[in-house]
């Protein structure tokens, strides 16, 4: 008697289950082998044929001075796992002359970097760096411009740097890593607008080789700086200079904002247009980090008035007498009765504080009282008139009325 398995339907024998299982396995393994063969083959083919993925041109053009040494790193190398073995870096010019990997000529490749010592104007052009391992390859191009050393070319080649106005800040002589690699004593001379700086004084101090400490940073320190070092190669000494355009950033501070308007109540006529400005005083504080908005019944204006009858106006930042202000208006296209019962609130927040100011809309007094009292006054007048008329009738009788009638007649 064959064994029966429960839950697999009627009359299913174990041998049948096993058969189905093996069948499925065979199909699955055939599929995976087929797919993997399909996937791996084109990839191997691509690399073998040197068909590299081109990443494009690096956005930064390298601008150098004629006569100075140049060392360029492959721009896409940071995307690669540089520690992994078997990564091969090659350089070639756009016109496809491959650059030799040995230090025998003026131009060579060493540890993945392209060296040109010294650079000539004819070296200007496009260079393509190829990085490959056993399974992957990509390329990127770099633009090099070599210029004669002139005032104009120096300002064109300057590296922008910014230090904030404060007690001290650092200038860095940039793009020297290839030249100071493995060197313990790096001597850099600093100049400001071609005048050598006293680098051991109270104002400037040379620190850790490539840095210059600037004390008491003020707006007068802005301008062009030059740093220079010498580099020896093949029994010759070369100058390497870098130009820096230094900008001094005014110190930014944050203050506690103060909401100075709106007033507690605002008068408006129903049906009219209304603008309530929320004005915030910042003093010397910077507006960029201060956020300002309006709320109605603790709901954002956009959510409370989806029809757009009430909106928040454009934010304005301005200065009056060197004090900074921010203003955001609340704009009613048309004031309706509901607004008189709504709680409006201006909210201001920055890292130092959070503040709110509430305001309510009141119906304008002069207009509304007139409207409300006019019918009442009319009724009082009419009633008063009737009362006086009746009293007069009772007291003086018809004669008085006749005299009155007569005089009235004479007058006309
Ligand atoms: C080749 O480089 C690619 C991209 O960095 C990496 O994913 C892959 O594992 C590397 N292959 C080998 C064999 O090192
Ligand atoms: C790098 O690739 C080039 C060109 O394919 C080859 O001539 C060179 O021997 C390779 N170098 C290394 C270290 O694999
Ligand atoms: C190589 O140079 C030629 C002529 O200067 C230019 O037309 C071409 O676009 C350059 N190719 C690359 C990849 O920069
Ligand atoms: C920095 O400036 C202040 C005021 O201008 C001055 O008193 C101080 O001596 C200066 N410090 C240095 C190191 O120059
Ligand atoms: C390097 O700069 C120094 C100082 O400016 C100068 O005396 C020297 O002639 C320069 N050397 C070269 C090779 O340009
Ligand atoms: C705000 O609340 C008041 C009272 O609860 C209500 O009368 C008014 O309609 C509300 N306004 C809005 C815009 O929701």
């Amino acid at each position: 008697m064959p064994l029966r398995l429960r839950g697999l339907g009627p009359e299913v024998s174990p041998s049948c289950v096993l058969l189905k299982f093996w069948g499925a396995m065979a199909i699955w393994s055939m599929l995976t082998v087929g797919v993997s063969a399909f996937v791996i083959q084109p990839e191997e083919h691509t690399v073998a044929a040197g068909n590299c993925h081109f990443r494009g041109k690096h956005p930064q053009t390298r601008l150098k001075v004629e006569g100075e040494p140049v060392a360029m790193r492959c721009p896409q190398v940071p995307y690669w796992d540089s520690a992994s073995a078997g990564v091969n870096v090659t350089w070639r010019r756009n016109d496809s002359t491959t650059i030799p990997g040995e230090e025998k000529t003026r131009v060579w490749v060493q540890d993945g970097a392209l060296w040109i010592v010294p650079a000539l104007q004819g070296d200007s052009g496009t260079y393509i760096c190829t990085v490959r391992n056993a399974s992957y390859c990509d390329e990127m191009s770099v633009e090099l411009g070599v210029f004669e050393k002139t005032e104009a070319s120096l300002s064109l080649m300057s590296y922008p740097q910014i230090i904030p106005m404060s007690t001290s800040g650092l200038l860095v002589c940039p793009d020297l890593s290839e030249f100071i690699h493995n060197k313990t004593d790096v001597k850099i001379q600093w100049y400001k607008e071609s005048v050598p700086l006293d680098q051991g004084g109270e104002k400037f101090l040379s620190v850790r080789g490539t840095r210059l400490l600037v004390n008491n940073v003020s707006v007068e320190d802005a301008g062009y700086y030059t740093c220079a070092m010498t580099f020896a190669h093949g029994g010759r000494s070369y100058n390497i200079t870098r130009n820096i355009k230094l900008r001094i950033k005014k110190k930014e501070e944050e203050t506690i904002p103060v909401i100075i308007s709106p007033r507690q109540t605002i008068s408006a006529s129903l049906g009219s247009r209304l603008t309530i400005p929320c004005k915030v005083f910042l003093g010397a504080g910077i507006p960029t980090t201060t956020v300002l908005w309006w709320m109605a019944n603790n709901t954002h204006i956009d959510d409370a008035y989806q029809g757009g009858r009430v909106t928040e106006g454009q934010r304005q930042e301005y200065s009056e007498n060197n004090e900074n202000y921010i203003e955001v208006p609340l704009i009613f296209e048309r004031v309706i009765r509901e607004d008189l019962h709504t709680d409006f609130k201006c909210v201001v927040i920055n890292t130092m504080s959070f503040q709110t100011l509430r305001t309510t809309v009141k119906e304008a007094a002069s207009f509304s009282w007139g409207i409300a009292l006019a019918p009442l006054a009319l009724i009082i007048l009419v009633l008063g008139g009737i009362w006086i008329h009746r009293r007069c009738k009772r007291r003086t009788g018809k004669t008085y009325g006749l005299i009155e009638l007569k005089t009235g007649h004479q007058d006309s």
Side-chain angles (χ1 to χ4, degrees):
M1 187 103 178
L3 207 99
R4 302 272 155 101
L5 287 180
R6 279 190 196 154
L8 284 173
E11 312 282 357
V12 179
S13 65
S15 56
C16 181
V17 172
L18 269 176
L19 208 71
K20 282 186 174 172
F21 175 72
W22 286 120
M25 280 296 283
I27 291 169
W28 184 75
S29 54
M30 266 164 70
L31 270 174
T32 43
V33 166
V35 166
S36 57
F38 231 79
V39 167
I40 287 165
Q41 257 177 356
E43 200 172 325
E44 276 176 344
H45 177 82
T46 306
V47 174
N51 212 351
C52 236
H53 170 236
F54 183 60
R55 282 178 184 265
K57 194 176 101 176
H58 193 263
Q60 191 197 354
T61 297
R62 272 63 168 176
L63 300 174
K64 304 291 171 186
V65 176
E66 188 172 35
E68 293 197 358
V70 168
M72 294 199 288
R73 280 235 152 255
C74 211
Q76 75 271 39
V77 161
Y79 307 125
W80 287 67
D81 181 11
S82 55
S84 77
V87 174
N88 185 344
V89 178
T90 51
W91 282 88
R92 68 174 197 276
R93 275 196 82 149
N94 178 17
D95 58 18
S96 88
T97 44
T98 303
I99 290 151
E102 285 163 63
E103 193 180 330
K104 278 180 185 158
T105 47
R106 194 176 55 84
V107 184
W108 76 96
V109 175
Q110 186 182 320
D111 300 329
L114 169 68
W115 287 75
I116 308 175
V117 183
L120 305 175
Q121 286 187 46
D123 295 322
S124 300
T126 305
Y127 291 81
I128 296 153
C129 180
T130 308
V131 184
R132 69 172 79 230
N133 64 12
S135 62
Y136 189 71
C137 169
D138 74 29
E139 294 186 324
M140 202 161 185
S141 69
V142 185
E143 212 75 42
L144 172 70
V146 181
F147 296 89
E148 209 183 327
K149 191 172 185 170
T150 60
E151 284 292 317
S153 66
L154 286 187
S155 63
L156 185 75
M157 279 178 231
S158 53
Y159 294 77
Q161 288 186 18
I162 300 173
I163 52 184
M165 202 140 75
S166 65
T167 48
S168 69
L170 278 175
L171 268 176
V172 183
C173 194
D175 200 13
L176 291 178
S177 52
E178 305 306 316
F179 303 103
I180 61 175
H181 187 63
N182 287 340
K183 286 208 171 102
T184 46
D185 67 323
V186 179
K187 279 199 84 162
I188 290 183
Q189 177 60 51
W190 287 85
Y191 304 83
K192 186 180 182 196
E193 268 115 40
S194 308
V195 180
L197 296 176
D198 174 11
Q199 288 161 223
E202 271 193 3
K203 180 68 186 169
F204 299 104
L205 186 66
S206 179
V207 283
R208 278 189 283 152
T210 60
R211 285 146 200 267
L212 184 73
L213 182 76
V214 185
N215 273 318
N216 260 5
V217 182
S218 73
V219 253
E220 284 88 66
D221 294 325
Y224 286 97
Y225 287 76
T226 304
C227 51
M229 67 173 279
T230 56
F231 178 74
H233 175 75
R236 275 196 62 186
S237 172
Y238 298 93
N239 285 341
I240 301 170
T241 56
R242 301 281 183 257
N243 294 280
I244 296 158
K245 185 184 180 180
L246 178 64
R247 219 157 54 79
I248 305 295
K249 199 167 74 174
K250 284 224 177 100
K251 206 173 172 183
E252 293 186 330
E253 54 180 314
E254 203 143 83
T255 52
I256 295 175
V258 182
I259 307 178
I260 54 173
S261 119
R263 295 191 305 272
Q264 223 164 6
T265 56
I266 302 286
S267 299
S269 329
L270 293 181
S272 67
R273 197 182 154 84
L274 175 68
T275 300
I276 312 177
C278 177
K279 187 171 173 179
V280 170
F281 172 80
L282 289 174
I286 40 163
T288 45
T289 53
T290 305
V291 187
L292 190 63
W293 72 91
W294 278 94
M295 295 186 106
N297 285 353
N298 284 322
T299 310
H300 280 274
I301 297 298
D302 284 351
D303 297 329
Y305 302 98
Q306 292 182 354
R309 185 181 58 84
V310 181
T311 52
E312 245 175 35
Q314 200 86 53
R315 171 186 165 115
Q316 285 178 46
E317 294 171 4
Y318 56 92
S319 296
E320 279 171 8
N321 304 321
N322 278 327
E323 315 268 35
N324 293 331
Y325 294 86
I326 311 176
E327 210 175 291
V328 173
L330 183 67
I331 302 163
F332 298 71
E333 212 172 75
R334 175 173 46 82
V335 176
I336 63 169
R337 192 157 295 280
E338 183 200 66
D339 300 335
L340 311 180
H341 311 294
T342 302
D343 180 33
F344 294 104
K345 194 162 68 177
C346 175
V347 183
V348 59
I349 184 168
N350 72 359
T351 56
M352 309 263 299
S353 83
F354 171 86
Q355 288 182 53
T356 62
L357 191 73
R358 292 174 58 182
T359 190
T360 47
V361 178
K362 278 223 164 113
E363 220 173 338
S366 56
F367 182 76
S368 59
W369 279 111
I371 296 270
L373 290 182
L376 196 67
L378 200 70
I379 290 165
I380 289 169
L381 266 172
V382 168
L383 288 178
I386 291 168
W387 181 73
I388 287 168
H389 183 70
R390 282 196 177 158
R391 266 179 75 104
C392 292
K393 243 177 160 180
R394 227 177 280 156
R395 276 195 186 172
T396 55
K398 276 178 185 174
T399 40
Y400 189 80
L402 268 170
I403 292 160
E404 202 186 37
L405 209 81
K406 270 179 185 168
T407 47
H409 201 250
Q410 279 167 348
D411 272 5
S412 59

